Amino acid sequence: MNSDESRAMFLLAGLTEAQIDMVMDYFLTFREAPQITSRSDFETAMAIYAVMDGGLNPADLHSPAARYTISLGTQITAWEDQAT
């Protein structure tokens, strides 16, 4: 997931270089997006998801960026389910 394209999508979503490194390291270690634990995390996750989902080929299910986006969507859903 350390491609320039993924990094550009994270920057477009408003993350800093330090945040991008942290997110990418977490994904490479645990193979999933970081858990959402606060409203701020949720808002950031939504911004990232919107950019990444819009920038990926819909048929792409296997690239690291696609797997991250799918995992992030799962985390978003879990947060929304918990919040209701």
Side-chain angles (χ1 to χ4, degrees), residues 8-66:
M9 285 191 235
F10 281 126
L11 286 170
L12 190 59
L15 271 68
T16 65
E17 287 289 339
Q19 290 171 317
I20 293 168
D21 290 340
M22 199 168 39
V23 166
M24 291 174 76
D25 288 346
Y26 188 95
F27 179 74
L28 292 172
T29 301
F30 299 104
R31 300 290 185 213
E32 67 181 7
Q35 185 176 15
I36 298 170
T37 59
S38 68
R39 183 72 185 167
S40 175
D41 288 351
F42 175 74
E43 291 169 1
T44 300
M46 291 294 290
I48 294 168
Y49 187 85
V51 170
M52 294 194 76
D53 188 51
L56 293 171
N57 180 335
D60 178 9
L61 301 175
H62 303 288
S63 72

